[in-house]
């Protein structure tokens, strides 16, 4: 009963509630119940879209001109920057000459700035664009913008991002390839950055630098140092080339500079000498008033830089070179990384020596003696004491058994081609250069003589088995022979070190007709020996006299070089007694062959033939003309 009562009570309460009356929905009349899809549109006008490009403007595929692309190089979106770089590359590859005349400055600034971009692809593509920009432009046109190039290069080399720092080496490659003179002229700004890339300063209590170790890099420390030292070698190469070009310029041939002031009434427009085109070097004129001792400053800066660099080179080599000592002068096997590092370090030291040879007369301190006293012992200990070197087998890494000297013989080395031949010859050349710097009253130590003997033994052995496959390292061989004969021979003969066998091997190789390329290189070396009147010890050697007596045979060949004819003329004047017999015996044949012989490198063919005929003036006092 109770449950039913509650149910009835609930029904009464529901019925008692006020109920709202539902409205009837009114439907639209027929024809008006359709949705209208029409809408109104108002145009949005951007003024830049209304601009019309000039007909002379060079446009990209997306109809953008250079100014628009340059503005996009600074866009916050990396994709926009990447597309702008690619379009610039396409335009420059097709219209570089038309474009550079008017947009060179902004273009160079915008592209160089991308060398610091955080995206790797953008940096790499910007360097390709930079190469296209610098390719057709001369150094004179680049001079006003050299600060832009050098500043961005230095920023990239010292950047906190290691990947940007790595790509800075590619930036340097582009500059060396296209504007090496500008880079060499500003080398004092760039060279210190190389040290920062592989080393850091010691503490304040200890001067100098020490190598750094990078743990969070994908490349090993050795590979990174190899990359840096390779670029440093190319940098020094451009510096040496620049120094040599400055030496070639003779002061007497430079243009006369006339300063105009209030007292200048007239300027002569003709002189009593032949007229010639004179280029005005604005940079040289501007620097004359500010600094007249640039060469001395350059020498001092070079010395301070070398003082920091050489210990780093030695430390880098110590890390990769085996600890064992070379006792019996057999080839010491080194890894591929050690071989690459050896190549760069030896090349750098050779280029430093060339710089010293050029600048040593222009410095208050004798640079040669300074370099010898500071670094010869370290160089001998680290490089010469373990000389010669050869590459380890295909494994490319040191085996545990190689620590034992007896295991050196277990590795078969192909004697037909020595991959380390060029580097070994370079090591010899550097040490021979050190020995050439000797005081008149000072004799070599016994250890130095032993090293000299080992070098001569190695050189003679290579000359005996030289083959055409080794011609790629002929420049290193000739550099070593020039240093040995022209610079160090006096010191070596004074210390009872005999060079007769080496000279004989050089003469034999020079007379070998089958080795044509080697013959030409060695003939130039022997010619310099013949024309240097101070090399009395070499001139007394029998091999030297025999070679001079065979020179008339060169005039009976079908071909001869113009330089060879000039050298023979000089030798006839100086060593007539040694060559007269052969000239008299072949008198008629030489005169007859002079009419038909092919003369290479001659500007006046007739004059060269007359030079051959006039060799016999001392016999019959007859002059051909």
């Amino acid at each position: 009963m109770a449950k039913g009562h509650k149910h009835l009570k609930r029904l009464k309460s529901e019925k008692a509630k006020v109920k709202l009356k539902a409205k009837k929905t009114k439907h639209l009349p027929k024809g008006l119940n359709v949705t209208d899809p029409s809408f109104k549109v108002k145009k949005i006008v951007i003024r830049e879209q209304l601009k019309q490009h000039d007909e002379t403007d060079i446009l990209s595929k997306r109809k953008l001109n250079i100014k628009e692309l340059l503005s996009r190089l600074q866009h916050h979106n990396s994709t926009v920057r990447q597309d702008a770089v690619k379009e610039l590359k396409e335009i420059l590859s097709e219209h570089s000459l038309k474009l550079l005349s008017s947009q060179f400055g902004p273009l160079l600034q915008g592209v160089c700035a991308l060398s610091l971009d955080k995206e790797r692809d953008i940096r790499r593509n910007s360097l390709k664009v930079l190469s296209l920009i610098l390719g057709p432009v001369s150094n004179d046109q680049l001079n006003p913008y050299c600060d832009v190039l050098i500043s961005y290069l230095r920023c990239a080399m010292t950047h906190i991002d290691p990947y940007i720092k790595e790509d800075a080496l590619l930036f340097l490659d582009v500059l060396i390839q296209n504007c090496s003179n500008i880079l060499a002229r500003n080398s004092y700004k760039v060279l210190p950055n190389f040290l920062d890339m592989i080393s850091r300063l010691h503490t304040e209590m200890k001067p100098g630098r020490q190598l750094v170790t990078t743990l969070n890099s994908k490349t090993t420390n050795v590979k990174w140092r190899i990359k840096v030292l390779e670029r440093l070698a190319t940098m020094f190469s451009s510096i040496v080339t620049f120094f040599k070009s400055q030496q070639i310029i003779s002061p007497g041939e430079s243009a006369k500079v006339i300063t105009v002031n209030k007292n200048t009434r007239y300027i002569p427009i003709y002189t009593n000498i032949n007229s010639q085109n004179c280029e005005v070097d604005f940079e040289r004129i501007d620097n004359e008033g500010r600094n007249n001792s640039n060469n001395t400053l350059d020498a001092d800066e070079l010395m301070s830089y070398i003082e920091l660099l050489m210990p780093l080179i030695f430390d880098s080599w110590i890390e990769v070179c085996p600890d064992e000592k070379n006792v019996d002068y057999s080839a010491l096997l080194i890894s591929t990384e050690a071989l690459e590092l050896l190549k760069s370090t030896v090349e750098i030291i050779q280029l430093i020596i060339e710089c010293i040879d050029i600048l040593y007369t222009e410095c208050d301190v004798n640079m040669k003696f300074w370099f010898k006293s500071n670094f010869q012992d370290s160089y001998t200990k680290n490089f010469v004491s373990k000389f010669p070197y050869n590459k380890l087998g295909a494994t490319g890494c040191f085996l545990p058994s190689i620590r034992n000297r007896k295991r050196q013989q277990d590795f078969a080395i192909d004697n037909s081609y020595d991959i380390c031949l060029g580097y070994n010859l370079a090591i010899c050349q550097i040490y021979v250069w050190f020995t050439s710097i000797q005081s008149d009253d000072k004799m070599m130590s016994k250890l130095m003589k032993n090293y000299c003997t080992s070098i001569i033994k190695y050189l003679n052995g290579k000359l005996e088995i030289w083959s055409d496959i080794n011609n790629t390292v002929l420049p290193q061989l000739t550099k070593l022979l020039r240093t040995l004969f022209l610079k160090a021979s006096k010191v070596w003969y004074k210390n009872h070190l005999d060079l007769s066998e080496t000279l004989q091997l050089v003469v034999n190789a020079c007379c070998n007709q089958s080795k044509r390329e080697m013959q030409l290189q060695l003939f130039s070396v022997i010619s310099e020996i013949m024309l240097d009147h101070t090399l009395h010890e070499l001139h007394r050697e029998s091999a030297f006299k025999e070679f001079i007596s065979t020179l008339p045979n060169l005039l009976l060949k079908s071909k001869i070089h113009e330089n060879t004819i000039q050298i023979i003329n000089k030798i006839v004047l100086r060593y007539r007694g040694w060559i007269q017999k052969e000239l008299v015996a072949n008198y008629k044949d030489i005169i007859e062959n002079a009419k038909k012989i092919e003369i290479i490198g001659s500007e006046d063919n007739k004059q060269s033939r007359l030079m051959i005929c006039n060799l016999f003036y001392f016999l019959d006092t007859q002059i051909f003309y």
Side-chain angles (χ1 to χ4, degrees):
M1 292 294 293
K3 291 182 179 179
H5 177 73
K6 288 181 179 180
H7 177 66
L8 293 174
K9 190 176 181 180
R10 191 179 297 114
L11 286 176
K12 289 179 180 180
S13 63
E14 289 292 331
K15 291 179 180 180
K17 290 181 180 179
V18 179
K19 295 182 180 180
L20 298 176
K21 191 174 182 180
K23 294 182 179 180
K24 293 183 179 180
T25 56
K26 294 182 179 180
H27 297 284
L28 291 174
K30 192 174 182 180
L32 296 178
N33 58 350
V34 180
T35 304
D36 186 9
S38 62
F39 56 90
K40 295 181 179 180
V41 177
K42 187 176 182 180
K43 292 183 179 180
I44 301 174
V45 179
I46 301 176
R47 294 181 180 179
E48 293 182 357
Q49 293 179 351
L50 300 178
K51 289 183 179 179
Q52 293 184 354
H53 294 292
D54 191 3
E55 294 180 357
T56 59
D57 279 354
I58 300 173
L59 304 178
S60 65
K61 290 182 178 179
R62 295 196 296 173
K63 306 302 179 183
L64 298 173
N65 60 16
I66 299 301
K67 290 184 179 180
E68 293 169 342
L69 290 175
L70 288 176
S71 64
R72 294 191 174 207
L73 293 180
Q74 303 174 1
H75 200 275
H76 63 87
N77 192 326
S78 61
T79 305
V80 176
R81 296 197 303 272
Q82 179 74 287
D83 293 340
V85 172
K86 290 181 179 179
E87 292 182 47
L88 272 177
K89 181 181 176 182
E90 294 174 0
I91 292 177
L92 286 169
S93 60
E94 298 176 1
H95 310 281
S96 58
L97 294 178
K98 296 180 181 178
L99 176 66
L100 293 179
S101 59
S102 59
Q103 299 289 341
F104 182 75
L107 191 59
L108 189 66
Q109 177 78 31
V111 173
C112 286
L114 291 181
S115 63
L116 307 177
D117 197 277
K118 60 182 179 180
E119 297 294 334
R120 176 177 176 271
D121 293 337
I122 296 177
R123 293 195 303 270
R124 298 289 177 90
N125 287 329
S126 68
L127 294 178
K128 294 178 182 178
V129 174
L130 182 62
S131 182
L132 292 174
I133 295 173
L134 300 179
V137 180
S138 64
N139 285 332
D140 292 335
Q141 292 174 300
L142 278 177
N143 275 332
Y145 305 98
C146 64
D147 289 338
V148 175
L149 295 171
I150 300 300
S151 298
Y152 278 109
L153 174 63
R154 295 181 66 191
C155 289
M157 294 177 72
T158 57
H159 204 278
I160 193 172
D161 189 341
Y163 299 107
I164 295 178
K165 190 183 294 186
E166 185 175 355
D167 286 345
L169 300 178
L170 302 178
F171 191 1
L172 183 69
D173 291 340
V174 173
L175 296 185
I176 289 176
Q177 183 180 0
N178 295 284
C179 51
S180 58
N181 281 348
I182 290 177
L183 200 60
R185 197 181 299 120
N186 295 274
S187 58
Y188 65 95
K189 300 178 182 177
V190 181
L191 284 176
N193 296 328
F194 284 100
L195 300 181
D196 295 332
M197 298 178 86
I198 60 173
S199 66
R200 62 179 176 85
L201 290 171
H202 275 298
T203 59
E204 296 180 357
M205 301 296 294
K206 188 178 181 182
R209 285 180 168 268
Q210 63 179 3
L211 295 173
V212 294
T213 303
T214 307
L215 299 178
N216 58 351
S217 177
K218 292 182 179 179
T219 58
T220 62
N221 294 314
V222 176
K223 288 183 178 179
W224 171 244
R225 289 169 194 158
I226 290 171
K227 289 181 180 180
V228 175
L229 292 177
E230 282 178 352
R231 272 45 176 225
L232 182 59
T234 57
M235 185 75 185
F236 269 114
S237 179
S238 63
I239 293 172
V240 170
T241 305
F242 176 73
F243 283 162
K244 289 180 178 179
S245 66
Q246 294 299 307
Q247 281 189 326
I248 294 174
I249 300 174
S250 174
E253 297 178 356
S254 60
K256 183 179 180 181
V257 179
I258 300 175
T259 305
V260 180
N261 51 35
K262 294 180 179 180
N263 299 324
T264 305
R265 296 181 178 274
Y266 65 92
I267 297 175
I269 59 173
Y270 65 91
T271 58
N272 56 354
I273 60 174
N274 296 330
S275 300
Q276 58 181 349
N277 294 329
C278 297
E279 296 183 0
V280 180
D281 190 350
F282 293 100
E283 186 172 354
R284 180 183 63 82
I285 296 172
D286 185 48
N287 290 334
E288 278 182 354
R290 291 181 294 176
N291 189 7
N292 292 324
S293 58
N294 283 336
N295 292 333
T296 304
L297 290 176
D298 287 342
D300 293 337
E301 289 175 359
L302 180 64
M303 289 174 63
S304 61
Y305 184 77
I306 292 171
E307 197 168 7
L308 296 173
L309 175 64
M310 291 300 292
L312 297 178
I313 289 178
F314 295 143
D315 292 343
S316 300
W317 175 244
I318 289 172
E319 286 190 7
V320 298
C321 185
D323 294 334
E324 55 187 318
K325 293 184 178 180
N326 199 345
V327 179
D328 56 354
Y329 303 112
S330 61
L332 179 66
L333 302 180
I334 58 177
S335 65
T336 304
E337 285 187 347
L339 179 65
E340 293 175 356
L341 186 65
L342 179 66
K343 173 182 178 295
S344 301
T345 53
V346 169
E347 185 178 357
I348 289 172
I349 298 174
Q350 280 189 311
L351 291 168
I352 288 175
I353 288 175
E354 287 192 49
C355 290
I356 291 174
D357 286 337
I358 295 172
L359 296 176
Y360 81 100
T361 57
E362 302 167 355
C363 182
D364 296 335
V365 182
N366 192 322
M367 293 182 68
K368 291 184 177 181
F369 280 97
W370 170 83
F371 189 71
K372 174 186 173 70
S373 61
N374 282 278
F375 304 112
Q376 181 182 4
D377 293 339
S378 299
Y379 175 79
T380 304
K381 178 182 177 181
N382 293 305
F383 289 93
V384 184
S385 63
K386 301 175 183 180
F387 163 87
Y389 301 94
N390 208 329
K391 185 183 177 183
L392 195 64
T395 54
C397 59
F398 290 110
L399 300 175
S401 57
I402 203 171
R403 301 295 180 186
N404 187 356
R405 166 55 59 180
K406 296 180 181 179
R407 294 291 295 164
Q408 285 283 339
Q409 301 174 356
D410 296 341
F411 295 92
I413 301 173
D414 187 7
N415 292 325
S416 61
Y417 179 68
D418 184 3
I419 195 172
C420 292
L421 176 60
Y423 315 138
N424 287 327
L425 293 175
I427 291 172
C428 295
Q429 188 266 335
I430 295 170
Y431 188 77
V432 171
W433 183 86
F434 276 125
T435 61
S436 67
I437 307 167
Q438 199 79 13
S439 301
D440 295 335
D441 56 345
K442 190 175 181 181
M443 301 295 289
M444 287 186 186
S445 63
K446 185 178 180 180
L447 183 61
M448 286 183 65
K449 287 185 178 181
N450 291 337
Y451 286 135
C452 292
T453 304
S454 66
I455 287 174
I456 286 295
K457 182 180 178 181
Y458 177 81
L459 176 60
N460 293 346
K462 294 302 177 182
L463 286 173
E464 288 176 352
I465 62 172
W466 193 276
S467 60
D468 291 338
I469 198 173
N470 297 321
N471 284 345
T472 54
V473 297
L474 267 178
Q476 285 291 358
L477 176 64
T478 55
K479 185 181 292 186
L480 169 59
L481 293 176
R482 281 190 172 93
T483 307
L484 178 62
F485 290 138
L486 302 178
K487 295 182 179 180
S489 60
K490 293 181 180 180
V491 178
W492 284 45
Y493 274 107
K494 182 181 177 181
N495 288 273
H496 310 291
L497 294 169
D498 189 17
L499 297 177
S500 58
E501 183 181 355
T502 306
L503 184 61
Q504 183 66 58
L505 290 171
V506 171
V507 169
N508 294 342
C510 189
C511 297
N512 191 344
Q513 298 297 325
S514 61
K515 302 177 181 179
R516 182 61 181 169
E517 187 175 353
M518 186 180 185
Q519 182 186 23
L520 294 174
Q521 296 284 344
L522 296 184
F523 182 79
S524 64
V525 176
I526 299 178
S527 301
E528 294 180 30
I529 297 174
M530 290 186 290
L531 299 178
D532 192 340
H533 65 279
T534 63
L535 304 177
H536 305 296
E537 296 83 359
L538 290 173
H539 293 170
R540 296 191 190 103
E541 298 290 349
S542 58
F544 180 75
K545 296 179 180 179
E546 292 174 4
F547 178 76
I548 288 181
S549 64
T550 61
L551 288 179
N553 295 331
L554 298 177
L555 300 173
L556 299 174
K557 305 291 182 182
S558 59
K559 297 179 182 180
I560 192 170
H561 202 280
E562 169 71 14
N563 293 338
T564 306
I565 299 174
Q566 295 178 2
I567 290 171
I568 293 176
N569 268 270
K570 295 177 182 178
I571 290 171
V572 168
L573 295 175
R574 183 171 295 177
Y575 307 103
R576 190 176 74 179
W578 299 351
I579 201 173
Q580 182 174 355
K581 183 178 179 181
E582 292 293 328
L583 284 175
V584 172
N586 298 288
Y587 172 72
K588 293 182 179 179
D589 295 335
I590 292 174
I591 294 295
E592 188 65 27
N593 193 51
K595 302 176 183 178
K596 56 184 179 180
I597 191 171
E598 181 183 350
I599 301 174
I600 303 171
S602 175
E603 296 181 357
D604 189 346
N605 211 350
K606 180 181 178 182
Q607 190 65 29
S608 300
R609 298 183 192 279
L610 291 175
M611 193 181 298
I612 296 175
C613 298
N614 288 326
L615 286 172
F616 301 95
Y617 172 75
F618 67 91
L619 293 178
D620 52 13
T621 65
Q622 182 179 358
I623 299 178
F624 293 85
Y625 56 90

